[in-house]
């Protein structure tokens, strides 16, 4: 069993993804969620414009449509999840967000009309259970408050983003779609501020630094997802993405946080899910069966 370069790249950006949790947590003490989501993705979009400025001259309506569709999902997924974190703790958020893991194989089946391999469902199931262990027992004590409902809704665009990236992969230019989806998410985030009554926060080097750092990370993450999911199925990619809280826990451990035993078990299950999804069941033909004794 070995990972292809595209899968290895997804593993790498999942580690980067996991490392962004602390930055988001710090930023929320100094900024509102929609402003931060908007400025973060605008910075990511501007970085991508610098990188892909040459290919933007030949932009097509197909690139625009695909980029906007994915950008809307990024905006809704990140925005609603960040909004939910204003009133619920991270363990509850992780538990609810984990719902997207079993959603994607079913969505892939519905969109692409091809049933994922059996081991892909096994892998998704192991990863989902692992995420529940990571969330901890407190996450199961759910009440249908605003934070819980908003976070639950965020799982739908998160799953849709993964499906759309695979749907458009190979049909549009990589650089153009990356620029458009990031700028779309950023602009929509800022436009949401007056709608929800959120104001511009006071200047702080903390939210500025976090926004720049997460903007660069977001550019790298989305670019890698757009490239790798040309050949990695949505279900397989989702199982790999499920390792994000595992990396967050590892980084937290390095930073001095103590992880409960259940979180360690959960991390092991997520890793096991990633490995299981790579396995393929081989059925024996009658000629291959051992003779009766």
């Amino acid at each position: 069993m070995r990972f292809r370069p595209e899968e290895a790249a997804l593993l790498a950006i999942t580690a980067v993804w996991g490392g962004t949790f602390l930055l988001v947590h710090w930023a929320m003490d100094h900024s509102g969620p929609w402003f931060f989501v908007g400025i973060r993705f605008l910075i990511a979009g501007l970085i991508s414009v610098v990188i892909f400025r040459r290919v933007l001259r030949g932009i097509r309506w197909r690139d625009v449509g695909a980029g906007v569709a994915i950008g809307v999902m990024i905006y809704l997924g990140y925005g609603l999840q960040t909004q939910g974190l204003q009133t619920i703790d991270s363990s509850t958020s992780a538990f609810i967000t984990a719902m997207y893991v079993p959603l994607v194989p079913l969505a892939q089946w519905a969109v692409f009309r091809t049933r994922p391999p059996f081991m892909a469902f096994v892998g998704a199931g192991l990863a989902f259970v692992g995420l529940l262990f990571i969330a901890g027992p407190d996450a199961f004590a759910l009440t249908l408050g605003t934070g819980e409902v908003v976070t639950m809704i965020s799982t739908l665009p998160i799953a849709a983003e993964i499906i759309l990236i695979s749907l458009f992969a190979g049909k549009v230019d990589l650089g153009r779609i990356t620029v458009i989806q990031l700028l779309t998410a950023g602009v929509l985030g800022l436009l949401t501020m007056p709608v929800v009554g959120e104001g511009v926060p006071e200047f702080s080097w903390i939210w500025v630094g976090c926004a720049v750092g997460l903007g660069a990370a977001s550019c790298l993450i989305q670019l890698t997802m757009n490239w790798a999911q040309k050949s990695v199925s949505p279900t397989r990619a989702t199982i790999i993405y499920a390792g994000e809280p595992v990396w967050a826990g590892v980084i937290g451990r390095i930073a001095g946080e103590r992880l409960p035993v259940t979180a360690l078990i959960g991390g092991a299950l997520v890793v096991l899910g990633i490995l299981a999804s790579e396995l393929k069941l081989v059925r024996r033909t009658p000629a291959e069966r051992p003779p009766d004794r």
Side-chain angles (χ1 to χ4, degrees):
M1 180 189 304
R2 74 188 232 190
F3 289 100
R4 291 176 292 155
E6 294 85 355
E7 294 170 330
L10 291 182
L11 280 172
I13 60 108
T14 301
V16 175
W17 208 341
T20 63
F21 175 79
L22 287 176
L23 294 180
V24 174
H25 182 70
W26 291 339
M28 287 303 95
D29 290 334
H30 302 272
S31 171
W34 294 107
F35 172 80
F36 187 74
V37 167
I39 203 70
R40 166 186 180 175
F41 283 103
L42 273 184
I43 291 173
L46 292 175
I47 293 173
S48 64
V49 166
V50 173
I51 296 173
F52 297 109
R53 59 188 181 278
R54 294 182 180 177
V55 301
L56 291 178
R57 297 174 183 174
I59 196 167
R60 302 167 299 174
W61 283 111
R62 179 186 299 179
D63 301 315
V64 174
V68 169
I70 296 173
V72 170
M73 296 303 111
I74 294 173
Y75 149 76
L76 290 172
Y78 278 85
L80 292 173
Q81 187 182 61
T82 305
Q83 179 76 26
L85 280 168
Q86 302 296 293
T87 55
I88 63 176
D89 57 33
S90 59
S91 63
T92 302
S93 178
F95 166 64
I96 299 174
T97 305
M99 299 296 181
Y100 86 91
V101 175
L103 274 178
V104 171
L106 299 176
Q108 179 188 351
W109 197 347
V111 172
F112 296 100
R113 303 296 182 184
T114 55
R115 185 175 67 85
F118 174 74
M119 292 307 296
F121 285 101
V122 172
L126 287 170
F128 176 62
V129 173
L131 290 174
L132 299 188
F133 272 94
I134 292 171
D138 292 341
F140 291 88
L142 289 178
T143 58
L144 287 181
T146 302
E148 287 84 358
V149 172
V150 167
T151 306
M152 195 175 297
I153 296 173
S154 77
T155 63
L156 299 177
I158 290 173
E161 177 199 351
I162 297 171
I163 293 294
L164 285 175
I165 288 176
S166 289
L167 184 64
F168 293 121
K171 301 176 183 177
V172 292
D173 182 84
L174 176 63
R176 296 169 191 159
I177 194 174
T178 300
V179 170
I180 295 168
Q181 68 189 40
L182 291 172
L183 290 178
T184 298
V187 170
L188 290 176
L190 295 182
L191 290 178
T192 304
M193 292 174 60
V195 177
V196 299
E198 182 181 317
V200 177
E202 294 183 6
F203 179 84
S204 168
W205 284 112
I206 295 179
W207 69 252
V208 170
C210 291
V212 172
L214 288 173
S218 296
C219 180
L220 175 63
I221 289 169
Q222 296 302 140
L223 175 60
T224 305
M225 290 174 68
N226 291 335
W227 169 72
Q229 283 192 228
K230 288 182 179 180
S231 59
V232 179
S233 74
T235 298
R236 174 71 173 154
T238 298
I239 297 170
I240 294 175
Y241 298 149
E244 181 267 333
V246 179
W247 286 108
V250 170
I251 293 171
R253 180 72 176 181
I254 295 173
E257 298 179 359
R258 294 187 61 83
L259 297 177
V261 175
T262 53
L264 296 176
I265 295 173
L269 286 173
V270 170
V271 173
L272 186 61
I274 295 173
L275 296 177
S277 67
E278 183 73 2
L279 296 176
K280 295 181 180 179
L281 296 180
V282 179
R283 294 183 179 180
R284 287 184 173 182
T285 62
E288 293 174 321
R289 291 174 184 165
D292 295 332
R293 293 182 180 178

